[in-house]
Each structure stands twice: as structure tokens, then as C-alpha cells.
Amino acid sequence: MIEVAGSMPHFIAIIANKSKPKNCVNSSITLLRNAQQRGMETIDADWIRKRLSGKRGEKSALATALGVGPDVVSKILKGERSVHASEIPKVIEFFASQDTRRESARLRLLQEIQTLDEQEARFLLGSLGVYRGQRREEEP
């Protein structure tokens, strides 16, 4: 079990419970509850799944970032393997860099929008409305 205090990418500490003896289960549960009460995040399969966008090749890119094969990422996501302490900084960096790219794209879009004339702005709004309408029709 791995926890990260604070929010990504500004984490304060990483706590790794590497030992797996049977009597460690209760201490792991206690550690998890204490971490959650302090606002810490547990880096596990659920944490990773919540951040995956579903884009093609994303799991493979995560595997590359971790320096493991795609089968290892699959095992992590299935709960058959835990995230190792040494992999935590790589996982956090992988998702932090994705957030940075998204924010950068949004910023560029906002900058471009500011340069539009009235006609271009109306066209863009109309196109966006059509696009969103198509997305709603495609959703189950």
C-alpha cells in the first residue's frame, strides 16, 4: 500500500508498506484510514484507473514511463500486483505531465479565442454546439 500526502504534483511524502506478513493487514488498514483522514491519496489500481482517460496507447505509455511491460500495468489494474514504492514517483510524473499538457492546450485555446473576430467566434460557437450535440447522441 502506498500513500501520497497532498495533491499531485506537489506531494509531501510517500509512505510504502513493503512487508506483507499476515499480521500486517490490520496495520495496513489502520494506515490507510489515517492517511485518508489526513487527506492523503492511496496510489493503487483505483487511483490509476481514475486518471486514465481511455485513450488508445495510454496504458502502454504508462508502462514505458514505469519501465515495465504492458502486462505489468494490466496486472496492477486488475489488482494482481501492487504499485512498488520505486514506481510511485514515475506514476505521479506520468499523470502530472498529462495534466500539464491538458492545461497548456486549454491556455493556447483561450489565447486563440481572444484573437477571433465576431464572425469567427459565432462559427466556433456553432461548431461547438453541433459537436456537443453529436457527443450527446453517441452516449448511451
Side-chain angles (χ1 to χ4, degrees):
M1 173 177 33
I2 310 292
E3 295 99 26
V4 177
S7 61
M8 201 176 57
H10 306 289
F11 60 94
I12 297 168
I14 297 174
I15 303 168
N17 184 357
K18 295 182 192 176
S19 59
K20 301 255 182 191
K22 291 180 182 178
N23 63 354
C24 190
V25 173
N26 288 336
S27 64
S28 294
I29 292 170
T30 302
L31 184 61
L32 176 59
R33 285 183 184 144
N34 291 339
Q36 289 171 337
Q37 289 172 353
R38 291 187 309 239
M40 298 172 79
E41 295 179 272
T42 302
I43 308 299
D44 59 6
D46 289 334
W47 190 93
I48 293 172
R49 244 185 260 108
K50 288 176 187 174
R51 285 157 180 80
L52 289 171
S53 67
K55 290 182 183 176
R56 182 182 174 133
E58 188 177 29
K59 291 176 191 173
S60 177
L62 176 58
T64 300
L66 293 176
V68 298
D71 60 312
V72 173
V73 171
S74 292
K75 287 178 182 178
I76 290 171
L77 294 174
K78 291 178 188 175
E80 297 172 2
R81 179 191 183 278
S82 61
V83 179
H84 295 167
S86 63
E87 296 166 340
I88 295 298
K90 296 172 186 176
V91 170
I92 292 171
E93 178 60 32
F94 176 80
F95 288 106
S97 65
Q98 285 187 333
D99 290 342
T100 301
R101 285 191 299 268
R102 268 188 234 117
E103 288 304 315
S104 177
R106 288 179 183 141
L107 180 59
R108 284 194 323 269
L109 180 59
L110 288 173
Q111 290 169 342
E112 287 296 321
I113 288 172
Q114 292 174 354
T115 65
L116 298 177
D117 63 27
E118 186 67 24
Q119 183 179 7
E120 292 169 327
R122 287 176 194 228
F123 174 78
L124 183 59
L125 286 171
S127 298
L128 183 59
V130 168
Y131 173 73
R132 286 186 173 164
Q134 288 173 347
R135 278 189 25 207
R136 281 189 206 110
E137 290 173 7
E138 292 173 358
E139 293 176 359

